[in-house]
């Protein structure tokens, strides 16, 4: 699905010497590269505070700890996402409340979100799935009305822009109370192991979070709060600091692949291409990164998905189903309160979506082979 080797080859010299420098300096934990990457990411995102941590799942957990959420508090999130989002809610003994998503953007459905709010609701986690922001204007309005925290799960959308109706643009993850991301190798800004970060413009919250990622210490060996051990490794920070200046061009490369796919499938009535947000509806807008295509996900109509997958596999074309089971049907997260009719969209998506390979190293010949193979099958 990705070509990490091809991407590495282009920055190999820089990356190799940065890694060797960390080893030679032996500042493996909280070395200067961590601070440098933190500062550079803050200015890239236009956010006051970046708190690096060990991975994107920890980022979600620590964000909720930092907000002081407690057992019994309800946290609303999307049914159609990677399990990490709901897993961290469960781990903290908060109550996850899953809601349906929109069929065309795959992001949290605003009406379903409104319906799910109770007197116990404390936070909303919009997941910017596949690289595109949720409807943050509506989410922030709802949060303001009901006095709720907003935790943006930006693991798949780092670098994406969100445009408000007054024209203001903000980076994904910098709109809510707090944003979280992952630097898992295949993510849009991936390191060479695990990594993650939390973003916020709130000074007090940032202070709390910085201690929490390091055993609740604000002064060495003084533990003011219960924390965790979740630090971004210095070697990973060194790699990320080299890759960050390339992030926009990586996003552009992904958008070009998406454009190629969109054009190739435009005529087919059996293939529904992903819709991008309100910046543009049909074509990719030229002046912003409103969708950064962590995944390129099709919806199939009247095509046997398993047969198409077998065909693609036989032609050496990678493909994947993100995600095959809705969270509300997972053994760990199912709940008697859930009614199937409340998850119509997710239930249909899990049976009809198919993600195609997307990465920064494709050439048109490879893309033409993929699209032609699919079109030949679909006809
Ligand atoms: C990848 C991902 C995470 C978790 O990130 P890790 O770094 O793997 O822990 C969380 N949420 C979403 C939506 C993701 O895609």
């Amino acid at each position: 699905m990705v070509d990490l080797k091809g991407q590495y080859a282009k920055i190999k010299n820089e990356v190799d010497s940065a890694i060797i420098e960390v080893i030679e300096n032996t500042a493996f934990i909280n070395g200067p590269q961590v601070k440098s990457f933190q500062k550079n990411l803050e200015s890239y995102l236009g956010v006051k505070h970046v708190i690096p941590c060990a991975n994107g799942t920890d980022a979600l957990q620590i964000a909720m700890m930092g907000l002081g959420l407690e057992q019994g508090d309800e946290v609303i999130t999307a049914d159609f996402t990677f399990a990490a989002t709901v897993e961290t809610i469960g781990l903290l003994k908060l109550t996850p409340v899953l809601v349906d998503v929109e069929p065309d953007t795959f992001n949290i459905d605003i009406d379903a979100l409104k319906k799910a709010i109770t007197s116990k609701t404390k936070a909303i986690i919009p997941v910017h799935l596949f690289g595109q922001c949720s409807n943050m204007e509506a989410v922030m309005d709802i949060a303001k009305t009901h006095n709720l925290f907003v935790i943006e799960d930006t693991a798949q959308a780092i670098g994406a822009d969100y445009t408000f109706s007054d024209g203001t643009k903000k980076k994904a993850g910098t709109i809510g109370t707090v944003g979280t991301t992952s630097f898992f190798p295949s993510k849009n800004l991936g390191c060479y192991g695990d990594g993650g970060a939390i973003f916020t413009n709130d000074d007090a919250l940032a202070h709390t979070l910085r201690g929490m990622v390091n055993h609740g210490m604000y002064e060495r060996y003084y533990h003011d709060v219960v924390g965790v051990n979740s630090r971004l490794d210095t070697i990973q920070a060194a790699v990320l600091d080299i890759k960050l200046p390339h992030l926009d061009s990586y996003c552009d490369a992904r958008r070009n692949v998406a454009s190629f796919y969109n054009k190739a499938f435009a005529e087919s009535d059996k293939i529904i291409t992903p819709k991008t947000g309100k910046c543009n509806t049909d074509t990719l807008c030229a002046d912003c990164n409103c969708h950064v295509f962590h995944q390129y996900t099709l919806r199939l109509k009247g095509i046997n998905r398993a047969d198409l997958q077998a065909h693609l596999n036989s032609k050496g074309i990678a493909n994947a189903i993100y995600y095959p089971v809705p969270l509300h049907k997972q053994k760990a997260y199912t709940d008697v309160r859930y009614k199937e009719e409340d998850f119509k969209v997710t239930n249909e998506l899990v049976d009809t979506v198919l993600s195609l390979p997307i990465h920064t190293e494709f050439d048109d010949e490879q893309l033409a082979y993929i699209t032609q193979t699919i079109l030949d099958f679909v006809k």
Side-chain angles (χ1 to χ4, degrees):
M1 297 293 283
V2 292
D3 179 6
L4 298 179
K5 263 193 189 167
Q7 195 188 58
Y8 166 62
K10 293 183 179 157
I11 50 172
K12 181 177 174 3
N13 292 342
E14 279 173 280
V15 167
D16 290 0
S17 54
I19 290 176
I20 289 166
E21 191 188 328
V22 175
I23 297 171
E24 283 175 347
N25 290 337
T26 67
F28 298 114
I29 305 295
N30 283 336
Q33 290 83 350
V34 179
K35 192 79 176 178
S36 163
F37 172 62
Q38 175 200 317
K39 292 286 162 205
N40 290 331
L41 188 57
E42 283 166 356
S43 61
Y44 173 82
L45 293 171
V47 73
K48 272 172 95 176
H49 306 282
V50 164
I51 298 98
C53 66
N55 58 68
T57 308
D58 278 6
L60 284 160
Q61 179 191 326
I62 297 159
M64 284 186 271
M65 287 167 61
L67 292 171
L69 300 182
E70 288 174 355
Q71 183 157 3
D73 289 348
E74 292 180 359
V75 179
I76 303 174
T77 194
D79 190 34
F80 191 59
T81 172
F82 180 58
T85 320
V86 68
E87 174 181 50
T88 49
I89 302 172
L91 194 67
L92 294 173
K93 302 269 185 270
L94 312 174
T95 306
V97 177
L98 297 167
V99 300
D100 212 358
V101 297
E102 300 175 337
D104 45 6
T105 64
F106 312 111
N107 280 326
I108 197 162
D109 182 279
I110 297 303
D111 291 328
L113 165 60
K114 281 186 190 158
K115 262 179 57 187
I117 292 174
T118 73
S119 58
K120 290 186 185 156
T121 309
K122 287 287 156 57
I124 308 166
I125 308 185
V127 182
H128 304 324
L129 204 73
F130 301 153
Q132 175 172 230
C133 282
S134 308
N135 181 347
M136 286 307 289
E137 188 148 346
V139 169
M140 294 311 287
D141 280 348
I142 294 167
K144 207 171 160 194
T145 308
H146 298 272
N147 200 18
L148 308 174
F149 297 123
V150 175
I151 302 154
E152 297 178 68
D153 184 343
T154 315
Q156 301 191 2
I158 192 159
D161 291 321
Y162 181 79
T163 310
F164 288 84
S165 48
D166 68 0
T168 320
K169 268 195 188 47
K170 284 191 179 173
K171 284 284 179 202
T174 68
I175 303 161
T177 324
V178 60
T180 65
T181 202
S182 163
F183 305 121
F184 185 83
S186 62
K187 298 280 155 90
N188 287 23
L189 180 61
C191 58
Y192 295 170
D194 275 309
I198 312 170
F199 325 137
T200 186
N201 284 308
D202 180 327
D203 297 339
L205 178 61
H207 174 75
T208 304
L209 295 170
R210 272 190 219 295
M212 264 180 183
V213 298
N214 195 18
H215 303 292
M217 278 194 289
Y218 296 88
E219 206 180 314
R220 204 155 199 193
Y221 301 126
Y222 289 82
H223 304 271
D224 296 0
V225 293
V226 176
V228 293
N229 174 9
S230 182
R231 294 170 299 225
L232 179 65
D233 188 278
T234 308
I235 290 181
Q236 301 309 334
V239 172
L240 288 165
D241 225 5
I242 286 164
K243 290 184 77 177
L244 180 60
H246 298 280
L247 178 58
D248 283 342
S249 67
Y250 290 163
C251 291
D252 283 343
R254 288 172 175 275
R255 286 153 48 76
N256 286 338
V257 175
S259 247
F260 191 105
Y261 284 150
N262 281 352
K263 271 186 219 129
F265 301 130
E267 300 301 313
S268 171
D269 54 2
K270 294 180 182 161
I271 297 174
I272 308 171
T273 57
K275 181 180 164 181
T276 49
K278 66 175 171 192
C279 282
N280 69 82
T281 43
D282 298 318
T283 50
L284 298 175
C285 48
D287 64 341
C288 84
N289 262 349
C290 59
H291 199 321
V292 294
F293 290 98
H294 175 60
Q295 298 298 345
Y296 183 88
T297 303
L298 299 171
R299 284 181 291 152
L300 306 176
K301 248 170 68 183
I303 303 170
N304 184 312
R305 183 173 63 178
D307 290 350
L308 174 56
Q309 285 194 283
H311 180 69
L312 291 174
N313 293 343
S314 75
K315 302 281 179 185
I317 297 171
N319 60 92
I321 299 169
Y322 304 118
Y323 296 91
V325 183
L327 288 179
H328 80 275
K329 287 187 182 168
Q330 298 283 359
K331 274 188 200 151
Y333 305 113
T334 190
D335 191 306
V336 287
R337 291 170 309 161
Y338 293 140
K339 298 192 210 77
E340 285 311 312
E341 70 250 36
D342 290 334
F343 299 102
K344 279 198 194 103
V345 175
T346 305
N347 283 341
E348 190 180 330
L349 289 175
V350 295
D351 289 337
T352 53
V353 288
L354 187 67
S355 297
L356 300 184
I358 190 158
H359 56 72
T360 56
E361 309 304 317
F362 266 126
D363 61 40
D364 283 2
E365 203 182 318
Q366 294 168 312
L367 290 171
Y369 174 69
I370 294 171
T371 52
Q372 201 49 54
T373 305
I374 294 171
L375 289 169
D376 287 345
F377 178 87
V378 170
K379 272 203 275 283

